């Protein structure tokens, strides 16, 4: 599976961004999709995950109520809608694919290249 993430950028606090991750190469609906983020000098952090069918989702507590993960299996795309953004959301965001619905990074075999999100105060 090849993954291409996009949609990052600079936004003011309180603003919104939508990240996209397009997959190619395998049957997209067979894979759970996840977004991680990483700040310089910090460990990669789980943000949101969605099952292959889209019926299951989970979020890190810090983004619940603000971020929404979704997918369009017909377009081989997963999205992360980010609203009410905060400076602490600043990070490089990565999408990844796994055959398992899990939040454990080592379970994800396929990774996108990352997209920078910067939230100014």
């Amino acid at each position: 599976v090849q993954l291409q993430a996009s949609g990052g950028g600079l936004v003011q606090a309180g603003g919104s961004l939508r990240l996209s991750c397009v997959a190619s190469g395998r049957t997209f609906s067979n894979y759970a999709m996840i977004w991680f983020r990483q700040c310089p000098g910090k460990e990669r952090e789980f943000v949101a995950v969605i099952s292959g069918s889209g019926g299951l989702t989970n979020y890190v507590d810090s983004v619940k109520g603000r971020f929404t993960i979704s997918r369009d299996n017909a377009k081989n795309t997963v999205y992360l809608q980010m609203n009410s953004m905060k400076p602490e959301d600043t990070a490089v965001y990565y999408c990844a694919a796994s055959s398992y619905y899990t939040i454990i990074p080592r379970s994800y075999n396929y990774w996108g290249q990352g997209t920078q999100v910067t939230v100014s105060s």
Side-chain angles (χ1 to χ4, degrees):
V1 178
Q2 293 79 45
L3 302 175
Q4 180 73 36
S6 63
L10 174 64
V11 64
Q12 288 188 332
S16 298
L17 280 176
R18 188 175 80 158
L19 305 183
S20 299
C21 177
V22 181
S24 60
R26 297 287 179 93
T27 304
F28 183 62
S29 59
N30 287 347
Y31 295 89
M33 297 297 297
I34 196 167
W35 289 95
F36 291 98
R37 64 187 180 188
Q38 189 168 22
C39 299
K42 294 188 177 181
E43 291 188 357
R44 193 164 294 185
E45 176 189 37
F46 157 72
V47 178
V49 63
I50 188 166
S51 62
S53 67
L56 296 173
T57 59
N58 196 11
Y59 300 87
V60 66
D61 285 347
S62 60
V63 308
K64 285 181 179 177
R66 300 189 297 121
F67 291 11
T68 302
I69 189 170
S70 62
R71 65 191 297 158
D72 184 339
N73 286 344
K75 296 182 178 180
N76 288 0
T77 303
V78 63
Y79 305 98
L80 186 66
Q81 178 67 44
M82 304 184 291
N83 298 329
S84 303
M85 297 185 73
K86 303 176 181 180
E88 51 263 44
D89 294 321
T90 296
V92 177
Y93 283 70
Y94 298 89
C95 60
S98 172
S99 299
Y100 305 99
Y101 180 70
T102 176
I103 65 171
I104 301 173
R106 65 175 181 270
S107 296
Y108 285 81
N109 296 322
Y110 308 101
W111 291 81
Q113 84 285 10
T115 184
Q116 175 70 48
V117 171
T118 303
V119 185
S120 63
S121 57

